[in-house]
Amino acid sequence: GGLTDKLGTRKAFAIAICMWSVAAMLPGAAFSVITFGVAMFLLGLGEAANFPACIKTVAEWFPKRERTLATGLFNSGANVGNIVVPILVPALVAVVSWRGAFVVAGALGIVWMVFWLIYYRRPEEHPKVSKAELALILSDPAEKVASVPWSHVLPCKETWAFAIGKFLTDPVWWFYLFWIPGYLQSTFHLNLAQSRTPVVMAYAISIIGSIGAGFVFKFFMDRGKTANVARKTTMLLCALLIVPIFLTPFVHQLWIVVALLGMATAGHQGWSANLFTLPSDMFPKSAVASVTGIGGFAGAV
């Protein structure tokens, strides 16, 4: 996060994606648990830049009232990945072996990085942004702060409010990611092929929550609510959507369980999209990536 704020989104994200892509290919050459672990460590270093850079990108390109929807859209990309992987990877393994599958997946990151470097600019520097578009993007009150050192970011109670929110809710999402496939297979006695569709459905519903929460926030904003009220009301609705998940152990119908899981994942991703937008609500653009990085650290802990 700090590196992104210092170097700028375009340069820092390109460095991170380059590292991530190489690290994603390295497991294909692993010959022991240790070498595989080293590759995973480097993968984590590269991946860590994703959300700080993405949130900063949204802050650069959207006024505050539109950022939640934009965040929900890019956040749903990870969930699309969860849907594509069970379909794509077995085919890759069949064609190029499991080692080759790692190499192909990593190489896709390099391709993405090339397009990023070709097309991404700040709106003030982008040749295809019209004056009207730029006026909309910059319609929020002008920021007087050019840079914010970490010594000023860390003591802020807003930083810790965001970090605690990430600390409490990120592990829940990772729990769902790791737990849902095995849970459905063991509870309903499904093999890998049979569990694919229910798992994909649970993750697909989460995309609706991620994007839908952006529309809900905008709905409240369009009716004259402050960003503070609109954000917290939307997050409350998302949290309530998760509550019925406690019924899951008492339900013995597969698709009802999938519906409950889908509601929970949708609520969590709607909450997450709003939580991710908070740093750009409370901090100048020059500090957004740093604060997001601190929150990501807290969630990982």
Side-chain angles (χ1 to χ4, degrees):
L3 190 68
T4 302
D5 280 331
K6 186 173 182 178
L7 298 180
T9 315
R10 183 172 180 268
K11 187 183 294 185
F13 211 179
I15 293 170
I17 291 297
C18 185
M19 179 190 295
W20 181 93
S21 300
V22 172
M25 289 188 271
L26 286 178
F31 54 86
S32 67
V33 172
I34 292 176
T35 54
F36 195 91
V38 169
M40 292 296 100
F41 177 80
L42 295 174
L43 188 71
L45 282 180
E47 184 187 6
N50 181 65
F51 280 103
C54 286
I55 297 298
K56 189 176 179 71
T57 299
V58 168
E60 289 175 350
W61 271 89
F62 294 87
K64 288 183 178 181
R65 65 187 300 109
E66 294 185 357
R67 288 176 189 170
T68 306
L69 180 55
T71 301
L73 283 166
F74 90 69
N75 190 44
S76 69
N79 303 323
V80 173
N82 290 330
I83 294 169
V84 171
V85 161
I87 301 168
L88 181 63
V89 170
L92 275 176
V93 172
V95 175
V96 294
S97 80
W98 69 267
R99 292 184 182 275
F102 276 109
V103 174
V104 172
L108 289 174
I110 299 292
V111 174
W112 183 91
M113 184 191 69
V114 170
F115 280 96
W116 170 259
L117 287 173
I118 291 173
Y119 289 107
Y120 187 79
R121 299 289 188 280
R122 288 172 59 91
E124 300 93 327
E125 303 164 356
H126 203 289
K128 294 188 178 181
V129 174
S130 68
K131 290 184 179 179
E133 287 171 327
L134 188 60
L136 173 63
I137 294 168
L138 303 178
S139 59
D140 294 321
E143 296 179 353
K144 300 177 181 179
V145 180
S147 64
V148 182
W150 268 48
S151 59
H152 291 182
V153 170
L154 279 173
C156 290
K157 67 180 188 292
E158 292 87 353
T159 300
W160 291 101
F162 174 69
I164 291 168
K166 294 287 288 176
F167 177 83
L168 293 172
T169 57
D170 274 15
V172 177
W173 179 245
W174 290 340
F175 170 71
Y176 283 140
L177 288 183
F178 290 121
W179 169 74
I180 287 176
Y183 172 76
L184 293 178
Q185 289 166 22
S186 61
T187 303
F188 296 100
H189 309 293
L190 307 175
N191 60 35
L192 192 61
Q194 292 169 330
S195 67
R196 186 176 300 167
T197 300
V199 170
V200 165
M201 284 298 296
Y203 294 143
I205 298 171
S206 72
I207 296 172
I208 299 172
S210 183
I211 298 173
F215 284 108
V216 173
F217 173 78
K218 191 173 184 301
F219 172 84
F220 288 124
M221 288 288 289
D222 290 344
R223 277 149 185 79
K225 303 296 183 184
T226 64
N228 182 49
V229 171
R231 178 89 56 229
K232 290 175 180 174
T233 304
T234 303
M235 293 176 80
L236 173 62
L237 293 173
C238 290
L240 292 174
L241 195 63
I242 300 170
V243 173
I245 193 67
F246 84 92
L247 295 170
T248 302
F250 310 105
V251 176
H252 305 292
Q253 296 293 326
L254 172 63
W255 290 107
I256 296 177
V257 169
V258 170
L260 290 169
L261 291 170
M263 285 175 58
T265 58
H268 190 289
Q269 289 299 278
W271 162 280
S272 185
N274 277 274
L275 185 65
F276 265 129
T277 314
L278 280 176
S280 65
D281 285 348
M282 301 185 293
F283 292 89
K285 295 174 185 176
S286 55
V288 165
S290 294
V291 176
T292 306
I294 292 169
F297 168 81
V301 170

